[in-house]
Amino acid sequence: RMMERQIGHMVRLVDDLLDVSRITSGKIQLQRGVRQLASLVQNALEANRAALQDARLELSVDVPESPVWLDVDPTRFVQVLSNILHNAVKFTDPGGRVVLAAAVAGDAGRSPGELVLSVTDSGVGISSDMLPRVFDLFVQGDSSADRSHSGLGIGLALARRLMDLHGGS
């Protein structure tokens, strides 16, 4: 079981590194299509379900009841959500809480129809001095913290670049 987990972790790191390389060299072409948000969220949750259960985390999902249709590359969109959820799982203590929420904005300075997704957790959080750089490639939080679940600082950078390709942020 431990070897399977470690192999999965290694595969994820290599895949993320290759994707960053492809984006940097302009070789990623989005395969956009109209998809329903709820199904994309379910796919991302499935990709992280085992980790959520292993960590005994309480998961709450709050998406609009009425269908929300997105023009996205479904594989890449799920990858973004999965990377962000993966971080929430990694840095939340067992028994903690992870919340994925989605809302279609139209006020508070947002464009009408803009989708706002958030992932919050009861984990250690990100220091205020790290916030401006958290989506930069190879940037990690405080190195004196417990790094037993650390990665290479690729997942959030990749998520940002994929959202940029979609025209989002």
Side-chain angles (χ1 to χ4, degrees):
R1 185 171 162 99
M2 181 176 63
M3 281 180 46
E4 284 177 3
R5 209 171 33 246
Q6 292 301 321
I7 288 170
H9 181 68
M10 189 64 70
V11 166
R12 183 184 194 106
L13 289 175
V14 170
D15 284 346
D16 283 354
L17 275 171
L18 290 171
D19 283 343
V20 167
S21 174
R22 288 182 196 114
I23 290 172
T24 303
S25 63
K27 292 183 179 174
I28 281 195
Q29 297 293 321
L30 297 180
Q31 305 296 314
R32 295 176 82 123
V34 177
R35 299 290 192 278
Q36 201 174 76
L37 172 65
S39 120
L40 298 170
V41 166
Q42 282 305 317
N43 290 342
L45 292 173
E46 277 306 310
N48 289 279
R49 186 141 339 262
L52 284 158
Q53 289 173 344
D54 287 350
R56 299 181 320 278
L57 298 178
E58 177 187 342
L59 173 66
S60 176
V61 179
D62 182 18
V63 297
E65 287 184 24
S66 59
V68 175
W69 295 95
L70 305 174
D71 179 19
V72 296
D73 179 322
T75 301
R76 298 304 181 178
F77 190 86
V78 168
Q79 184 178 12
V80 167
L81 280 178
S82 185
N83 281 0
I84 294 171
L85 283 167
H86 181 73
N87 264 30
V89 171
K90 274 197 314 188
F91 297 106
T92 302
D93 289 333
R97 179 177 171 85
V98 174
V99 178
L100 187 152
V104 178
D107 55 3
R110 303 246 184 224
S111 300
E114 181 179 46
L115 175 67
V116 178
L117 284 168
S118 66
V119 175
T120 56
D121 60 65
S122 60
V124 296
I126 301 169
S127 66
S128 59
D129 60 319
M130 181 58 65
L131 283 175
R133 302 176 344 153
V134 74
F135 289 102
D136 293 345
L137 192 56
F138 302 119
V139 169
Q140 297 179 346
D142 181 7
S143 61
S144 66
D146 174 24
R147 306 306 296 168
S148 64
H149 297 295
S150 69
L152 296 177
I154 298 170
L156 292 180
L158 179 57
R160 178 183 209 161
R161 290 179 182 189
L162 288 171
M163 277 296 94
D164 288 346
L165 287 174
H166 279 90
S169 61

